[in-house]
């Protein structure tokens, strides 16, 4: 039986209404408890800040797509070697490499080093789910899960074409269980399949795929209804059509309107908030979009902030990667995933001297600073698309310290910033409690993870302890201690142990009557047998909807 009493720290636990209260935190057997015997071991946190472990709602860390990216980045591996850590008991961990797509072990070590203990991979093709489970098995220190791609799924679209919503729902339930996924991801609904089959991309949510009834609107609607009927803990996770294109705000607002009144999560919103196009210059449309989100409590978002520096674009959105390759001439890979999706990767660099990158940086900050509900507008950089997760401390600093933000704004390319709220001057500075919401409590709530993101009795004892520091980036870069399931895994910058985390996945009930048709679909079109498709042997039981 393990016990620990953390004494004297200021606790930031917004899910339980606690904002900097100084009191003891008691941990027994990996969970938060109300009391401990007086002789329990203690950890002195006097003068320090205590938060739940960080929860990353949208990252790319454990997928075949990440592996394609790693292959494209040998120069990053050479520039950022990660020596094998020596643990507290003298045993030696695994070495690896860093850069924008770190190796599996390095990913776990570095997330833990920042105080993050739960990470969701945002895009895994069902066919490649097994690969993702193996990568998560090799990524220590964090609990992890992934969202499985369904926005361009051939079997799903056939159910939409045939007007069979019940079959679509049962297929979703079966697919989530068969792949060991946590939620459903929608990327450029219909557009990837259209592009792969010669129709180019889809730019309007009411444009049908050639020869069928499926439109982006129909796909979004079918998937949202199915996920909500199945009570999946996290609503469908949507990457809208027209990512990164000037004028895409119209598509973004139309997609949101299409799901009015229905639970849904719109991801990396920054990439979908641009005005301009058709001869007019790019501009920020953040104000319009965040006003809509503020008014719709059924919708949640993560920001997908762009941070200046190196990045790697990793997405299922093949047509977007193709356009970027054409405009940038950088090295590029694009992959077809049969019957399901696509995948593209391009190494990238955001420079503050570049007009579009500066606009993207400003749009993300506008979304954060104009958000009226931090519980529904949570932090992400869409790692490594908008920047590495390693840049989170700098992003937190931009939100908490206007002087740092203004200094960066002053040296940015101003060409496309006219009319942006940031240029007009936004004086808001996030509080420590608001940071605790957008990095832990909020993502956990949006994900329906009732044991994460808070420090109430019964919660997982994932805890991060920071030293106060006027330099906010320094404070959030080096926690004094990080606890995972009640064990101190990082202390004073050293990795003490690197335990294997749990897998977060769901297994909704479904009517097995749908399966003969799925089996026939595999027999007719897939290169894998139906019998060999499902992932087996996950060690953690499925998460039950709250
Ligand atoms: Zn993403």
């Amino acid at each position: 039986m393990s016990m620990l009493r953390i004494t004297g720290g200021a606790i930031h636990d917004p899910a339980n209404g606690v904002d900097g209260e100084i009191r003891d935190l008691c941990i027994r057997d990996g969970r938060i408890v109300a009391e401990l015997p007086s002789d329990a071991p203690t950890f002195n946190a006097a003068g320090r800040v205590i938060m739940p472990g960080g929860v990353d709602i949208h990252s790319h860390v454990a997928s075949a797509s990440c592996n394609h990216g790693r292959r494209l980045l040998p120069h990053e591996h050479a520039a950022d070697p990660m020596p094998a850590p020596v643990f507290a008991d003298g045993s030696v961990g695994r070495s690896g490499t860093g850069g924008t797509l770190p190796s599996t072990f390095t990913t776990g070590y570095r997330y833990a080093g920042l105080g993050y203990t739960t990470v969701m991979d945002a895009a895994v093709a069902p066919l490649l789910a097994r690969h993702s489970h193996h990568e998560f098995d090799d990524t220590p220190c964090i609990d992890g899960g992934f969202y499985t791609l369904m926005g361009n799924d051939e079997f799903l679209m056939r159910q939409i074409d045939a007007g069979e919503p019940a079959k679509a729902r049962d297929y979703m339930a079966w697919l989530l269980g068969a792949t060991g996924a946590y939620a459903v991801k929608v990327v450029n609904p219909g557009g990837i399949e259209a592009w792969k089959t010669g129709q180019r991309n889809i730019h309007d949510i009411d444009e049908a795929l050639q020869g069928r009834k499926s439109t982006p609107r129909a796909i979004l609607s079918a998937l949202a209804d199915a996920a909500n009927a199945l009570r999946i803990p996290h609503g469908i996770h949507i990457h809208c059509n027209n990512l990164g294109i000037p004028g895409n705000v119209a598509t973004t607002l139309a997609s949101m309107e299409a799901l009015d009144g229905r639970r849904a999560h719109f991801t990396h919103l920054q990439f979908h908030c641009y005005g301009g196009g058709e001869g007019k210059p790019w501009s920020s449309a953040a104000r319009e979009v965040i006003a809509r989100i503020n008014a719709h409590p059924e919708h949640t978002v993560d920001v997908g902030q762009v941070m200046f520096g190196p990045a790697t674009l990793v997405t299922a959105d093949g047509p977007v990667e193709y356009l970027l390759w054409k405009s940038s001439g950088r090295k590029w890979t694009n992959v077809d995933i049969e019957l399901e999706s696509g995948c593209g990767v391009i190494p990238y660099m955001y420079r503050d001297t570049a007009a579009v990158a500066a606009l993207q940086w400003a749009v993300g900050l506008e979304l954060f600073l104009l958000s009226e509900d931090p519980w529904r507008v949570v932090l992400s950089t869409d790692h490594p698309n908008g920047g590495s997760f390693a840049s989170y401390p700098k992003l937190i600093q931009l939100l908490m310290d206007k002087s740092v933000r203004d200094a960066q704004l002053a040296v940015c390319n101003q060409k496309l910033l006219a009319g942006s709220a940031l240029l007009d001057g936004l004086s808001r500075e996030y509080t420590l409690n608001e940071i605790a919401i957008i990095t832990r409590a909020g993502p956990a709530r949006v994900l329906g993870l009732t044991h994460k993101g808070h420090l109430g009795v019964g919660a997982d004892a994932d805890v991060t302890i920071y030293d106060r520091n006027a330099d906010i980036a320094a404070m959030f870069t080096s926690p004094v201690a990080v606890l995972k399931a009640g064990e101190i895994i990082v202390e004073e910058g050293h990795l003490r142990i690197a335990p294997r985390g749990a897998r977060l996945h769901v297994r909704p009930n479904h009517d097995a009557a749908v399966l003969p048709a799925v089996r026939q679909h595999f027999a007719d079109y897939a290169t894998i047998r139906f019998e060999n498709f499902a992932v087996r042997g996950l060690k953690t039981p499925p998460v039950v909807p709250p």
Side-chain angles (χ1 to χ4, degrees):
M1 182 162 41
S2 74
M3 293 189 286
L4 187 66
R5 181 192 300 275
I6 301 172
T7 61
I11 296 181
H12 289 269
D13 180 15
N16 292 302
V18 178
D19 182 3
E21 188 186 322
I22 294 170
R23 61 170 169 80
D24 292 356
L25 189 66
C26 298
I27 294 168
R28 183 195 288 254
D29 296 335
R31 298 272 172 141
I32 307 292
V33 294
E35 253 317 322
L36 284 176
S38 57
D39 61 347
T42 58
F43 184 99
N44 181 6
R48 291 166 168 165
V49 169
I50 299 177
M51 292 186 183
V55 177
D56 198 337
I57 196 171
H58 188 114
S59 187
H60 298 274
V61 290
S63 68
S65 314
C66 291
N67 253 7
H68 286 304
R70 291 178 184 122
R71 283 190 204 104
L72 274 188
L73 301 167
H75 56 287
E76 287 195 354
H77 306 169
D80 187 9
M82 169 86 192
V86 179
F87 298 129
D89 67 356
S91 65
V92 179
R94 275 268 295 273
S95 61
T97 56
T100 55
L101 275 164
S103 57
T104 50
F105 279 78
T106 308
T107 296
Y109 299 158
R110 289 189 177 175
Y111 258 115
L114 291 179
Y116 271 75
T117 48
T118 303
V119 178
M120 288 294 184
D121 189 291
V124 170
L127 189 61
L128 304 170
R130 184 172 283 104
H131 176 106
S132 287
H133 286 295
H134 288 316
E135 287 218 2
F136 269 121
D137 285 346
D138 247 10
T139 306
C141 304
I142 54 166
D143 293 342
F146 61 80
Y147 314 145
T148 202
L149 291 158
M150 286 194 77
N152 291 267
D153 186 285
E154 180 63 29
F155 187 87
L156 176 92
M157 288 192 288
R158 287 179 182 222
Q159 307 320 308
I160 292 170
D161 292 344
E164 295 275 10
K167 276 193 188 160
R169 186 190 62 227
D170 286 326
Y171 175 63
M172 176 190 284
W174 169 79
L175 193 68
L176 284 164
T179 56
Y182 187 75
V184 169
K185 176 74 176 296
V186 188
V187 174
N188 185 3
I192 300 168
E193 176 64 15
W195 183 71
K196 289 199 307 189
T197 52
Q199 190 184 345
R200 307 187 72 80
N201 204 344
I202 284 183
H203 294 294
D204 185 293
I205 72 162
D206 289 312
E207 184 181 348
L209 278 98
Q210 249 163 28
R212 53 202 321 173
K213 291 182 188 155
S214 290
T215 60
R217 182 190 297 278
I219 294 168
L220 289 171
S221 190
L223 290 174
D225 285 348
N228 293 340
L230 292 167
R231 298 179 60 239
I232 309 295
H234 181 45
I236 59 166
H237 196 99
I238 304 164
H239 155 154
C240 292
N241 304 84
N242 291 331
L243 179 145
I245 295 174
N248 65 7
V249 61
T251 309
T252 305
L253 293 171
S255 304
M256 290 173 173
E257 199 183 330
L259 295 178
D260 267 0
R262 290 184 268 184
R263 182 183 64 147
H265 181 86
F266 294 87
T267 192
H268 41 62
L269 192 59
Q270 177 279 127
F271 288 105
H272 304 273
C273 290
Y274 310 136
E278 295 180 354
K280 288 188 238 123
W282 289 42
S283 59
S284 168
R287 268 193 262 230
E288 265 177 279
V289 177
I290 199 66
R292 182 166 229 293
I293 290 298
N294 286 338
H296 283 265
E298 73 277 24
H299 292 165
T300 56
V301 309
D302 62 272
V303 168
Q305 177 69 33
V306 153
M307 298 296 286
F308 297 123
T312 299
L313 309 178
V314 185
T315 176
D317 202 337
V320 163
E321 298 287 45
Y322 171 71
L323 279 182
L324 265 168
W325 166 72
K326 288 236 296 190
S327 63
S328 72
R330 289 169 177 269
K331 53 182 171 180
W332 164 58
T333 185
N334 242 55
V335 181
D336 169 42
I337 298 156
E338 61 181 42
L339 303 169
E340 294 177 352
S341 188
C343 155
V345 184
I346 297 183
Y348 205 73
M349 175 68 78
Y350 296 100
R351 298 182 200 279
D352 58 12
T353 50
V356 170
L359 173 71
Q360 293 178 309
W361 177 83
V363 166
L365 291 176
E366 287 178 72
L367 293 173
F368 276 119
L369 297 170
L370 296 170
S371 150
E372 289 172 4
D373 184 358
W375 291 95
R376 294 189 294 113
V377 181
V378 303
L379 184 144
S380 72
T381 61
D382 189 10
H383 161 87
N385 285 278
S388 164
F389 67 80
S391 66
Y392 291 173
K394 279 190 187 156
L395 173 51
I396 292 169
Q397 183 180 45
L398 289 170
L399 297 175
M400 290 188 72
D401 190 333
K402 181 173 185 291
S403 67
V404 173
R405 200 160 72 219
D406 286 346
Q408 175 62 69
L409 181 61
V411 298
C412 278
N413 186 317
Q414 308 279 314
K415 190 177 162 199
L416 300 176
L417 298 186
S420 92
L422 198 62
L423 205 62
D424 291 349
L426 287 170
S427 58
R428 180 174 181 183
E429 291 182 328
Y430 271 58
T431 64
L432 274 179
N433 235 41
E434 286 175 320
I435 295 299
I437 294 171
I438 64 171
T439 58
R440 301 132 148 92
R445 184 177 287 181
V446 173
L447 287 165
L449 289 170
T450 53
H451 293 283
K452 302 284 186 195
H454 73 99
L455 299 172
V457 169
D460 291 350
D462 299 345
V463 183
T464 307
I465 305 172
Y466 300 101
D467 258 335
R468 289 181 193 279
N469 191 332
D471 180 340
I472 300 294
M475 172 176 168
F476 281 91
T477 298
S478 304
V480 179
V482 181
L483 285 81
K484 177 85 194 67
E487 303 288 331
I488 299 174
I489 60 171
V490 176
E491 191 170 15
E492 305 288 354
H494 294 287
L495 197 60
R496 291 175 49 85
I497 52 172
R500 178 178 276 203
R503 195 67 32 78
L504 300 164
H505 62 106
V506 296
R507 198 180 297 149
N509 291 326
H510 60 274
D511 183 346
V514 74
L515 293 184
V518 178
R519 186 187 295 266
Q520 190 60 45
H521 181 75
F522 271 75
D524 290 344
Y525 306 112
T527 58
I528 186 170
R529 288 178 62 195
F530 175 82
E531 287 74 15
N532 294 336
F533 179 78
V535 169
R536 295 180 184 88
L538 297 182
K539 291 182 184 72
T540 7
V543 173
V544 177

